[in-house]
C-alpha cells in the first residue's frame, strides 16, 4: 500500500513539474529510475492544387494518397490546424541481477478516429506508439513489445514536418521480439521476429490489390539489420522475409534496404536510401502495396517495388537547419498485367521537400516547409498537390 502511495505521489509530482521549462523530469521509485517527458505541438497545414482526407483525416500527407486529376479533391485547397501529434512518454530503468532492465511507454492523439469534430472540441483518440521493455547485459540485449520495425534506419533518413516523408521511407511500428549484439562502439547487428499482416489492399472505395477472399498470417516477419557509425559516416543494410497465404496458396517475399549518411563541412549532413523487394509491401512506406495478391489464374504471386530517396541537411547556424530532399518509387507493371493490381494501384510516386528548423530555445522549436508530390497509377492517370506546413513545438 505504501509502495503504491509513493508511486502515485511521484507520478503526480512529475506531471506538475513538467510545466517547468525542462526537457524531461526524472525521479526514483523503489530503485527504479523513471523519466516523464513529451511535447506539445501545434501544426498549421495549407494544401494547394489538391487536398487529402486520409490517412488520419489528411493531417498526415502520404504522397501515395495524392488525389488523381478529376477526382473530387484534385482541385481543392484547404487550411487547418491541429495539435493531435502532441505526446507524452514514461521511461524506466532498473538494475537487476541479469542486467539493466529498461522500458518505454509512449502515446499521442493521432488515432484515426474523431471523438469530436472541428466544430466544437477538436478531440482526438489517444493511441499507443511505443510499449516495450528491454534487457541489456554487456554486448547483448533483448527487446519485447511494440516499437519501430528493425527494418527502419533513422540515421540515414531525412527529417520531416510530420510522420510522412518522401517515397521509399519505411514507416512501420509493430509488436516484435528483437535480439541485438553490439559488436563495437557504433556498430551492431540485430534480428527480430515481428507481427505479420498483409497490408493495405483498398483505399476508400477503390480496390488496389486483388488479395482473394481469405488471408492468413502463420509466421512472423523476420528482419535482419547491421548498423555501422563513426564520426562522419553511417551505413545500415537491412533485409526482411515475409510469408503470405491467400486463398489457401502460400509464397514468400523479401525486401532489401540500404541507408547511409555522411557528415561534411561545418555540421552539414547528406543522406541516401535505396530499397528493393519482391513482396516488400508495407515495409516500403506509407503506400497501398500489400506485397502479394492473386493473379488472373488464381495463383498467388508477389509484387516488385523499388525506390531511391535522399537529401542534404545544411547547418546554417547553431540553432538553424535547412533540409532539402526528394524521393522516387516504382511498382512493377507485371502485377497489373497479371491481374493482381488494379488500375487504381500506384505505379510511380515522386516528391520533393524543403524544411527550415529553428531552435528558438533548448525546448521550443519552430519549423516551416513545403512538400510537393506527384503520382501515376496503373491506369496511367496522374495527380499532384503541394502542402505548405508549419509547426511550433514545446518539448518538456
Amino acid at each position: 500500500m505504501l509502495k503504491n502511495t509513493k508511486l502515485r505521489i511521484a507520478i503526480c509530482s512529475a506531471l506538475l513539474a513538467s510545466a517547468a521549462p525542462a526537457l524531461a523530469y526524472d525521479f526514483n521509485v523503489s530503485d527504479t529510475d523513471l523519466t516523464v517527458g513529451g511535447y506539445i505541438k501545434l501544426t498549421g497545414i495549407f494544401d494547394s492544387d489538391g487536398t487529402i482526407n486520409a490517412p488520419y483525416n489528411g493531417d498526415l500527407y502520404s504522397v501515395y494518397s495524392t488525389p488523381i486529376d478529376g477526382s473530387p479533391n484534385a482541385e481543392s485547397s484547404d487550411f487547418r490546424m491541429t495539435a493531435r501529434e502532441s505526446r507524452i512518454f514514461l521511461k524506466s530503468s532498473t538494475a537487476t541481477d541479469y542486467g539493466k532492465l529498461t522500458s518505454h511507454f509512449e502515446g499521442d492523439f493521432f488515432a484515426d478516429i474523431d471523438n469530436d469534430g472541428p466544430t466544437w472540441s477538436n478531440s482526438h483518440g489517444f493511441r499507443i506508439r511505443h510499449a516495450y521493455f528491454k534487457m541489456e547485459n554487456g554486448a547483448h540485449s533483448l527487446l519485447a513489445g511494440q516499437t519501430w520495425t528493425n527494418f527502419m534506419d533513422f540515421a540515414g533518413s531525412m527529417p520531416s514536418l510530420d510522420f510522412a516523408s518522401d517515397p521509399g521511407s519505411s514507416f512501420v511500428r509493430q509488436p516484435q521480439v528483437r535480439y541485438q549484439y553490439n559488436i563495437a562502439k557504433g556498430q551492431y547487428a540485430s534480428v527480430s521476429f515481428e507481427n505479420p499482416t498483409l497490408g493495405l489492399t483498398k483505399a476508400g472505395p477503390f480496390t488496389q490489390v486483388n488479395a482473394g477472399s481469405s488471408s492468413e498470417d502463420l509466421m512472423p516477419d523476420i528482419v535482419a539489420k547491421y548498423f555501422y557509425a563513426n564520426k562522419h559516416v553511417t551505413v545500415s543494410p537491412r533485409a526482411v522475409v515475409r510469408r503470405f497465404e491467400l486463398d489457401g496458396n502460400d509464397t514468400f517475399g523479401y525486401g532489401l534496404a540500404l541507408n547511409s549518411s555522411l557528415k561534411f563541412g561545418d555540421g552539414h549532413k547528406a543522406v541516401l536510401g535505396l530499397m528493393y523487394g519482391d513482396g516488400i509491401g508495407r515495409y516500403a512506406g506509407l503506400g497501398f502495396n500489400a506485397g502479394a495478391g492473386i493473379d488472373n489464374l488464381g495463383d498467388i504471386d508477389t509484387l516488385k517495388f523499388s525506390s531511391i530517396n535522399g537529401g542534404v541537411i545544411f547547418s546554417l547556424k547553431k540553432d538553424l537547419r535547412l533540409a532539402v530532399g526528394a524521393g522516387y518509387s516504382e511498382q512493377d507493371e507485371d502485377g497489373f498485367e497479371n491481374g493482381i493490381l488494379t488500375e487504381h494501384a500506384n505505379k510511380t510516386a515522386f516528391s520533393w521537400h524543403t524544411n527550415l528548423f529553428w531552435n528558438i530555445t533548448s525546448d521550443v522549436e519552430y519549423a516551416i516547409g513545403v512538400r510537393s508530390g506527384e503520382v501515376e497509377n496503373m491506369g496511367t492517370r496522374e495527380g499532384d498537390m503541394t502542402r505548405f506546413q508549419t509547426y511550433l513545438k514545446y518539448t518538456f
Side-chain angles (χ1 to χ4, degrees):
M1 183 70 178
L2 179 60
K3 181 179 179 180
N4 290 337
T5 301
K6 289 168 62 180
L7 178 60
R8 293 191 190 100
I9 293 173
I11 291 176
C12 290
S13 299
L15 294 175
L16 291 172
S18 66
L23 295 181
Y25 182 75
D26 300 311
F27 56 101
N28 182 276
V29 176
S30 300
D31 299 322
T32 294
D33 294 324
L34 298 172
T35 301
V36 173
Y39 63 71
I40 297 171
K41 181 177 178 181
L42 174 64
T43 299
I45 298 168
F46 178 72
D47 291 337
S48 175
D49 192 28
T51 189
I52 56 174
N53 51 28
Y56 303 104
N57 301 324
D59 290 334
L60 184 154
Y61 175 32
S62 168
V63 177
Y64 300 101
S65 61
T66 300
I68 296 295
D69 291 345
S71 64
N73 293 329
E75 305 301 326
S76 300
S77 296
D78 180 69
F79 172 78
R80 62 185 176 278
M81 295 189 292
T82 180
R84 66 188 302 189
E85 192 185 317
S86 302
R87 68 186 58 168
I88 190 168
F89 68 78
L90 174 65
K91 298 180 181 180
S92 73
S93 178
T94 307
T96 74
D97 294 338
Y98 302 98
K100 183 171 72 171
L101 177 63
T102 60
S103 70
H104 184 162
F105 178 84
E106 180 181 306
D108 65 14
F109 301 90
F110 234 91
D112 199 5
I113 55 175
D114 280 318
N115 290 334
D116 193 5
T119 303
W120 293 289
S121 70
N122 289 274
S123 302
H124 293 283
F126 183 80
R127 67 171 185 176
I128 295 176
R129 289 173 48 83
H130 301 278
Y132 66 86
F133 61 92
K134 180 169 65 173
M135 178 66 75
E136 300 174 74
N137 189 324
H140 308 273
S141 69
L142 184 66
L143 177 150
Q146 175 173 305
T147 188
W148 297 114
T149 175
N150 199 26
F151 196 69
M152 294 177 67
D153 175 53
F154 289 100
S157 301
M158 292 293 293
S160 64
L161 296 187
D162 56 20
F163 300 128
S165 190
D166 296 313
S169 301
S170 186
F171 185 96
V172 177
R173 197 171 46 238
Q174 61 193 4
Q176 61 190 271
V177 176
R178 182 192 305 178
Y179 169 75
Q180 178 173 311
Y181 176 69
N182 296 322
I183 303 168
K185 183 180 180 180
Q187 186 178 180
Y188 68 82
S190 58
V191 61
S192 59
F193 299 89
E194 307 193 12
N195 186 61
T197 187
L198 177 62
L200 293 173
T201 60
K202 296 184 66 176
F206 301 114
T207 297
Q208 308 258 354
V209 182
N210 175 19
S213 58
S214 66
S215 173
E216 295 182 89
D217 299 311
L218 301 180
M219 65 167 276
D221 294 345
I222 303 173
V223 182
K225 178 180 182 179
Y226 171 76
F227 180 83
Y228 170 82
N230 60 32
K231 291 182 179 180
H232 304 288
V233 176
T234 69
V235 179
S236 180
R238 290 100 63 206
V240 58
V241 176
R242 309 176 65 196
R243 182 184 185 276
F244 303 95
E245 181 153 335
L246 302 173
D247 288 353
N249 300 311
D250 66 89
T251 190
F252 283 87
Y254 70 91
L256 304 172
L258 175 65
N259 283 70
S260 60
S261 70
L262 171 65
K263 293 181 179 179
F264 65 96
D266 188 13
H268 312 310
K269 179 180 176 181
V271 304
L272 177 67
L274 303 172
M275 194 178 295
Y276 177 80
D278 192 355
I280 187 172
R282 62 194 181 93
Y283 287 92
L286 289 168
F288 305 108
N289 178 2
I294 301 297
D295 64 19
N296 291 325
L297 300 177
D299 298 323
I300 187 173
D301 201 2
T302 49
L303 299 165
K304 295 182 178 65
F305 175 95
S306 59
S307 68
I308 180 172
N309 62 30
V312 181
I313 306 161
F314 298 98
S315 178
L316 305 181
K317 294 173 61 178
K318 182 179 180 181
D319 56 1
L320 196 64
R321 296 173 297 144
L322 175 67
V324 180
Y328 173 82
S329 70
E330 184 173 297
Q331 193 163 216
D332 194 83
E333 288 184 277
D334 288 347
F336 176 60
E337 295 171 356
N338 296 335
I340 300 174
L341 298 174
T342 72
E343 62 180 2
H344 303 291
N346 178 260
K347 179 183 176 183
T348 63
F350 169 79
S351 74
W352 63 267
H353 72 272
T354 179
N355 302 325
L356 185 68
F357 301 90
W358 175 30
N359 293 107
I360 301 173
T361 69
S362 61
D363 46 17
V364 177
E365 181 184 58
Y366 175 74
I368 187 170
V370 58
R371 185 146 61 100
S372 182
E374 302 174 8
V375 295
E376 180 184 0
N377 64 22
M378 289 295 174
T380 69
R381 297 182 62 191
E382 300 178 347
D384 63 85
M385 67 169 279
T386 300
R387 168 163 290 189
F388 300 89
Q389 196 163 336
T390 185
Y391 70 69
L392 187 62
K393 180 171 72 173
Y394 166 63
T395 301
F396 56 86

